[in-house]
Amino acid sequence: MAKVEKKYKYAVIASDVAIFTVKDGELKVLLIEMKKKPFSGMWALPGGLVEVKESVDRAAERQLLVKTGVKNVYLEQLYTFGEVNRDPFGRVVSVAYFALIPGDNIKLKTTKEYADVKWYNISDLPKLAYDHRKIIDVAYHRLQSKLGYTNIVYSLMPREFSLTELQETYEIIKGTNLDKRNFRKKVLSLDLIKKVDKMARGSAHRPASLYSFKNRKYKVIQML
Amino acid sequence: MAKVEKKYKYAVIASDVAIFTVKDGELKVLLIEMKKKPFSGMWALPGGLVEVKESVDRAAERQLLVKTGVKNVYLEQLYTFGEVNRDPFGRVVSVAYFALIPGDNIKLKTTKEYADVKWYNISDLPKLAYDHRKIIDVAYHRLQSKLGYTNIVYSLMPREFSLTELQETYEIIKGTNLDKRNFRKKVLSLDLIKKVDKMARGSAHRPASLYSFKNRKYKVIQML
DNA sequence: GCAAAAGTGTTTAACATACACCCATGG
DNA sequence: CCATGGGTGTATGTTAAACACTTTTGC
């Protein structure tokens, strides 16, 4: 986050993005390691000041693209954090976003500005700069609840997946176990996914049918 | 909204508040009439720039207090509007809030800065400045949906009310009719309200029992 | 005694929940 | 042939929805 002098008469705006994915059976969030004091060695969400010539949404997309190389993924405004002393460099208000990306083939990018970029398990976060711990808590909570009444899982899944993989994604994020038969019944009744003419291969057990989403567009539903 | 020069390198922040009430059988929103060009004669939500020394929440509370004289009412952050050209006076991002107040005894206050302050029916809005029409749409939508899964009605009702008045409040905001028996069964099963030892008086029909909320604290419920 | 709103239960349909066994594959 | 996860149906309980008449008051 660039330096902002206190002499500004009005608060200025940054945008921070909590980027989530599900990988290796865990919900993960993307963090970058900071260099500058007083936060050196601490971790933070990707973010930065909003430029005069770009919208706030656009600034969030830019952060996402620069840090992960992805675009056109699910990105939603989360909440605006406007406490007076949340940033020691000046009066900065943060418009936080959350993004969801599938767990496969994401190559992380770092820059000279930061020491490192990494996925962290949501259950095992390092020490965080600014109020980013709070932002992650709010984002996690929003993700859990939106999973129940929208179809946003589609943005966490690969193109093709088995019903078990889909169920596991729900279980990992909700932190609860679901009944297999009831889950399948519900998902299929919602008419969101279709069977593709393929089976999973290479496992020492009965291969699973693969499915894909009929359309990958945000929709309010009654899931859980 | 004070003038902001375009020379600022970063976007600055304002806060606008959509204040709702239910009165005379209608959902109303509070608007102020603007004097300065290019918006003279148009109406806008109460709002203004966030000062360096106050939080964004605090700025919203201040707007609410200055325009209506009320405090300690329901106030929730709604959404942040960050398009580049939403404000002709400069690069201003608006953190919008929505507030709910009971329909009784609110005295509106105006200031030299504005021509007038008035309640407008949500179904009959005048021409609005900035992107405030959009803000009101989002706020109205949020209000409708939160009514269904939280107890926020309490902030629109007077201390004591009849079940019919409560039902009418829901109907006005939702824009639908509800079944009297089912409504009462549901409301009473939620254990949110208690009968007070009084009856409505002065009407040419059977007097209604009055109720009040057991506690006026935000709570997630399953209402509609 | 009439007009107007208050108050009150039951039946039916839809949906959520609980629960256990056989199937197809790789090794 | 065995270990592993895939796949399937029914019975029960809970909740939502539909629906009409009697009661109490002021005038």
Side-chain angles (χ1 to χ4, degrees), chain A residues 1-19:
Chain A
M1 215 166 279
K3 192 165 205 158
V4 182
E5 269 89 51
K6 298 240 186 194
K7 68 182 177 183
Y8 281 137
K9 191 175 170 205
Y10 299 107
V12 304
I13 302 175
S15 136
D16 294 303
V17 189
I19 305 167

Side-chain angles (χ1 to χ4, degrees), chain B residues 125-215:
Chain B
L125 296 173
K127 196 141 173 54
L128 291 159
Y130 307 104
D131 52 1
H132 286 189
R133 176 62 199 239
K134 195 170 166 195
I135 296 179
I136 291 173
D137 287 346
V138 174
Y140 182 26
H141 191 260
R142 174 86 61 95
L143 171 58
Q144 288 187 317
S145 96
K146 280 221 147 179
L147 216 55
Y149 68 91
T150 72
N151 67 342
I152 55 171
V153 229
Y154 75 80
S155 52
L156 290 164
M157 303 302 295
R159 177 120 35 147
E160 298 178 347
F161 52 87
S162 69
L163 291 179
T164 300
E165 286 163 351
L166 185 62
Q167 182 177 341
E168 281 166 357
T169 301
Y170 275 94
E171 289 176 337
I172 289 163
I173 296 173
K174 294 291 234 188
T176 57
N177 290 336
L178 300 172
D179 179 88
K180 187 167 30 162
R181 280 174 290 191
N182 292 339
F183 178 81
R184 292 158 107 97
K185 204 188 310 169
K186 181 76 195 181
V187 165
L188 293 172
S189 78
L190 288 172
D191 194 40
L192 299 172
I193 59 178
K194 58 172 186 283
K195 213 177 244 193
V196 297
D197 194 20
K198 271 191 226 170
M199 301 293 262
R201 297 204 51 100
S203 57
H205 54 79
R206 177 169 173 178
S209 295
L210 296 180
Y211 290 77
S212 71
F213 285 91
K214 287 192 177 178
N215 59 38

Side-chain angles (χ1 to χ4, degrees), chain B residues 13-221:
Chain B
I13 301 174
S15 137
D16 294 303
V17 189
I19 305 168
F20 290 105
T21 197
V22 173
K23 242 175 115 154
D24 309 325
E26 295 265 14
L27 177 64
K28 308 201 179 237
V29 63
L30 190 74
L31 298 176
I32 59 184
E33 189 175 5
M34 299 197 68
K35 282 182 174 170
K36 61 180 184 182
K37 294 185 179 180
F39 294 133
S40 52
M42 294 172 76
W43 296 73
L45 295 171
L49 292 175
V50 174
E51 305 288 339
V52 164
K53 60 186 183 313
E54 71 182 351
S55 70
V56 179
D57 286 353
R58 191 69 212 293
E61 283 165 17
R62 177 165 57 82
Q63 294 301 328
L64 184 61
L65 180 61
V66 167
K67 296 302 183 312
T68 64
V70 301
K71 46 181 161 179
N72 300 322
V73 297
Y74 186 79
L75 182 65
E76 168 184 318
Q77 195 189 101
L78 177 64
Y79 196 78
T80 296
F81 295 82
E83 290 306 310
V84 173
N85 293 312
R86 55 173 301 282
D87 188 329
F89 303 111
R91 183 65 206 284
V92 179
V93 170
S94 169
V95 183
Y97 283 74
F98 85 95
L100 304 176
I101 65 182
D104 47 359
N105 352 309
I106 304 294
K107 293 145 203 145
L108 301 179
K109 299 174 182 178
T110 186
T111 62
K112 274 177 287 194
E113 205 182 335
Y114 303 108
D116 205 356
V117 192
K118 259 192 213 165
W119 290 110
Y120 271 92
N121 289 342
I122 196 80
S123 56
D124 189 25
L125 296 173
K127 196 141 173 54
L128 291 159
Y130 307 104
D131 52 1
H132 286 189
R133 176 62 199 239
K134 195 170 166 195
I135 296 179
I136 291 173
D137 287 346
V138 174
Y140 182 26
H141 191 260
R142 174 86 61 95
L143 171 58
Q144 288 187 317
S145 96
K146 280 221 147 179
L147 216 55
Y149 68 91
T150 72
N151 67 342
I152 55 171
V153 229
Y154 75 80
S155 52
L156 290 164
M157 303 302 295
R159 177 120 35 147
E160 298 178 347
F161 52 87
S162 69
L163 291 179
T164 300
E165 286 163 351
L166 185 62
Q167 182 177 341
E168 281 166 357
T169 301
Y170 275 94
E171 289 176 337
I172 289 163
I173 296 173
K174 294 291 234 188
T176 57
N177 290 336
L178 300 172
D179 179 88
K180 187 167 30 162
R181 280 174 290 191
N182 292 339
F183 178 81
R184 292 158 107 97
K185 204 188 310 169
K186 181 76 195 181
V187 165
L188 293 172
S189 78
L190 288 172
D191 194 40
L192 299 172
I193 59 178
K194 58 172 186 283
K195 213 177 244 193
V196 297
D197 194 20
K198 271 191 226 170
M199 301 293 262
R201 297 204 51 100
S203 57
H205 54 79
R206 177 169 173 178
S209 295
L210 296 180
Y211 290 77
S212 71
F213 285 91
K214 287 192 177 178
N215 59 38
R216 297 182 158 251
K217 212 162 187 179
Y218 181 85
K219 199 173 161 185
V220 173
I221 57 170

Side-chain angles (χ1 to χ4, degrees), chain A residues 35-40 88-89:
Chain A
K35 281 182 176 169
K36 62 180 181 181
K37 295 186 179 181
F39 292 133
S40 52
F89 304 111

